[in-house]
Amino acid sequence: GAVVSQHPSRVICKSGTSVKIECRSLDFQATTMFWYRQFPKQSLMLMATSNEGSKATYEQGVEKDKFLINHASLTLSTLTVTSAHPEDSSFYICSANQGLGYEQYFGPGTRLTVT
Amino acid sequence: KNEVEQSPQNLTAQEGEFITINCSYSVGISALHWLQQHPGGGIVSLFMLSSGKKKHGRLIATINIQEKHSSLHITASHPRDSAVYICAVHSSKLIFGQGTTLQVKP
């Protein structure tokens, strides 16, 4: 149980286009979902926290107009990278929390390459 | 100084060796996670603990809240244990260590 999926697993897009990444909790309801990014050889950095039905809370330094997060249902959150640039190329990972304690379940990640 | 420090950063071991990865943190925490990240990038949660010790198969995790320190031990290591091991503490949010890259050679 407690499986989180992400789609796509890998995406290449051209500079200036927008890319949407989906994060789904497959067998549980996720009251809170988290979005992280990870640069090569670096640790995960929290980008934003989203609660179903409310606006996401962004970490300092993360542009909310560039990284649009929607958490429309208890099983789906989306991250849209708008007007992507090569420096947005990174590994994006989501995780989900059932609202019971501190356990987080991580998705497999999405590797974004912007050319 | 990072709020979560792991050591060593890199570790190479021979199959069968006992392995220890350490994690020290400087913030107040509610829980500590040990995560495993394979080369493909996916992350698996190994343990979540707030006190004492947990064991799962060949893996053991311990935490000393007073000393703000946790260790992950792998007994009888195997090449398939090769991965990046990440310590993350739950403060107001999850704060991650830099990770320890483990390579187990046959």
Side-chain angles (χ1 to χ4, degrees):
Chain A
V3 177
V4 175
S5 71
Q6 278 185 244
H7 177 81
S9 59
R10 186 178 293 267
V11 58
I12 300 172
C13 71
K14 291 190 175 179
S15 190
T17 61
S18 295
V19 174
K20 181 185 282 188
I21 302 169
E22 294 185 348
C23 175
R24 292 182 186 272
S25 57
L26 298 185
D27 49 3
F28 67 98
Q29 292 187 327
T31 54
T32 306
M33 286 184 167
F34 305 87
W35 286 97
Y36 302 90
R37 66 188 297 181
Q38 184 181 35
F39 291 108
K41 306 289 186 186
Q42 294 189 25
S43 192
L44 284 77
M45 294 293 294
L46 179 66
M47 298 175 68
T49 302
S50 76
N51 292 294
E52 184 265 339
S54 61
K55 288 185 179 179
T57 302
Y58 290 80
E59 294 298 300
Q60 192 172 10
V62 178
E63 299 174 59
K64 62 181 181 182
D65 294 329
K66 180 167 184 61
F67 299 100
L68 301 178
I69 291 172
N70 184 284
H71 192 163
S73 78
L74 283 170
T75 59
L76 173 65
S77 176
T78 59
L79 168 67
T80 301
V81 183
T82 62
S83 187
H85 287 114
E87 56 264 33
D88 298 324
S89 298
S90 187
F91 192 60
Y92 292 88
I93 304 173
C94 72
S95 71
N97 177 278
Q98 286 181 278
L100 306 171
Y102 303 107
E103 193 70 69
Q104 285 194 28
Y105 304 98
F106 289 84
T110 296
R111 189 161 302 283
L112 169 64
T113 303
V114 184
T115 59
Chain B
K1 187 172 164 38
N2 293 331
E3 292 167 305
V4 181
E5 294 273 359
Q6 285 184 236
S7 63
Q9 284 192 318
N10 297 284
L11 181 57
T12 301
Q14 287 299 127
E15 183 173 358
E17 285 185 359
F18 180 83
I19 288 163
T20 296
I21 299 170
N22 296 298
C23 175
S24 296
Y25 53 92
S26 57
V27 295
I29 70 167
S30 310
L32 181 143
H33 301 255
W34 279 104
L35 310 170
Q36 182 190 55
Q37 186 173 31
H38 278 282
I43 290 177
V44 174
S45 179
L46 299 174
F47 294 102
M48 184 185 70
L49 62 166
S50 53
S51 66
K53 176 180 174 179
K54 285 189 176 181
K55 184 176 190 294
H56 185 245
R58 295 181 293 106
L59 302 178
I60 302 167
T62 63
I63 187 169
N64 185 316
I65 296 293
Q66 286 73 31
E67 295 188 3
K68 295 190 173 180
H69 181 269
S70 175
S71 293
L72 176 69
H73 305 286
I74 305 175
T75 61
S77 59
H78 191 275
R80 64 175 176 265
D81 297 326
S82 299
V84 176
Y85 292 84
I86 302 169
C87 169
V89 300
H90 207 110
S91 187
S92 54
K93 61 184 181 183
L94 263 188
I95 305 171
F96 296 84
Q98 291 291 92
T100 295
T101 301
L102 170 66
Q103 184 183 20
V104 181
K105 294 184 175 179

